[in-house]
Amino acid sequence: MNKCVLITGGTGFIGGELCRKLLDRGYKLSVLSRQPADVVRMLCGPVEVIHNLESLRGHQGYDAVINLAGEGIADKRWSDKRLQALSDSRIGLTNTLTKVIQSWEQKPKAMVSGSAVGFYGDQGDARVTEGTAPHDEFTHQMCRDWENAALKLQPLGVRICLSRTGIVAGPEGGFLKRMVLPFKLGLGGRLGSGHQYMPWIHREDAVAALIWMLESPQASGAYNVVSPNPVTNREFTSCLAHTLKRPAIFPVPAQVLKLALGDMSRLLLTGQKAIPERLIDAGFEFRYPMLAEALEDATK
């Protein structure tokens, strides 16, 4: 019998590719989305579309759940209203999801739940593993509460994996979609000093890591879903410019970013030298461990 998986965030940049890969592996998928069913199937493939989590109360249950829902953290300038929306789309939805799952006749064997390397807050140039103590700021607090909402299912015997994902690079979307145009126009450059680290990962490897967590009975807890070779913003922008065969001579001063973006500028001016220590120790193999090859594929 095909395994049945419920996915939230299935229409996103990572989720759509994940759905296609899981369908190829023989899974039956139900995708939670507010979008029309035909749009969801265009993005994800032949899946069942769920428009309301509450409709799943008392459901027989699924073999597993993958929870990737969450509004884009850098899509809009931060305001009190925006910060609340970011939290609600992650913590609020995950809390509702866990309550719905508690009502199921059959509890899932596993849940892979989204998080981010923002869990650690600003770490400067220190090496960051899954055991690193976080710096207490908004991104840490949001990721902490997001993870804790998923962990409520552990006492029910559900195996929980937490995907602390970095910046995802891949074709036709994601954060690169915003960066490529100014670089193609010759207007690209480092952000601030450029010394801040950008923990990145190719979408193929992010999806493979999620599937590994789903299918590995020994996997549990938090995993840094990032490349084993982190780079600084200066290195990243230089590599992107080289890939596109364009210059990178227009740096954006930190003060300009602070004036334009307010508190959200911390997303661009701080970072983490995050290492996927637990994935490496488990023998996970990255298809795109080096940035040059990842950007070559993502921009072709």
Side-chain angles (χ1 to χ4, degrees), residues 92-128:
L93 184 140
T94 305
N95 275 323
T96 300
L97 177 61
T98 56
K99 288 176 183 175
V100 167
I101 290 173
Q102 288 166 359
S103 75
W104 291 354
E105 179 181 331
Q106 171 191 310
K107 304 299 186 289
K109 292 181 176 63
M111 179 159 85
V112 180
S113 197
S115 185
V117 289
F119 174 90
Y120 304 104
D122 181 22
Q123 294 286 337
D125 59 1
R127 186 175 185 271
V128 175

Side-chain angles (χ1 to χ4, degrees), residues 28-160:
K28 292 179 64 177
L29 304 181
S30 296
V31 173
L32 175 72
S33 177
R34 290 174 293 185
Q35 299 188 64
D38 57 342
V39 173
V40 176
R41 294 190 181 104
M42 179 183 69
L43 296 169
C44 302
V47 302
E48 178 190 22
V49 181
I50 308 294
H51 291 300
N52 189 342
L53 265 181
E54 296 294 336
S55 68
L56 295 178
R57 283 193 183 273
H59 192 272
Q60 182 179 350
Y62 291 86
D63 295 295
V65 176
I66 301 178
N67 176 37
L68 302 178
E71 294 190 20
I73 195 166
D75 286 354
K76 298 178 183 177
R77 185 186 173 103
W78 288 359
S79 62
D80 289 344
K81 182 178 179 181
R82 180 60 182 166
L83 293 179
Q84 188 62 53
L86 292 173
S87 294
D88 288 346
S89 68
R90 291 166 171 77
I91 303 159
L93 184 140
T94 305
N95 275 323
T96 300
L97 177 61
T98 56
K99 288 176 183 175
V100 167
I101 290 173
Q102 288 166 359
S103 75
W104 291 354
E105 179 181 331
Q106 171 191 310
K107 304 299 186 289
K109 292 181 176 63
M111 179 159 85
V112 180
S113 197
S115 185
V117 289
F119 174 90
Y120 304 104
D122 181 22
Q123 294 286 337
D125 59 1
R127 186 175 185 271
V128 175
T129 72
E130 290 85 354
T132 298
H135 178 255
D136 191 19
E137 55 185 285
F138 170 71
T139 56
H140 163 66
Q141 294 162 11
M142 182 175 65
C143 290
R144 175 200 64 201
D145 293 347
W146 192 10
E147 293 182 4
N148 285 340
L151 289 168
K152 290 177 182 177
L153 293 176
Q154 259 187 341
L156 300 180
V158 181
R159 178 173 62 84
I160 305 294

Side-chain angles (χ1 to χ4, degrees), residues 58 84 108 125 135 140 142 144 164 175 188 210 220-221 245 252 256 260 270-271 283 285:
Q84 188 62 53
D125 59 1
H135 178 255
H140 163 66
M142 182 175 65
R144 175 200 64 201
R164 292 178 180 166
F175 83 106
L210 292 170
S220 67
K245 298 179 173 57
V252 183
V256 171
T270 65
E285 295 186 7

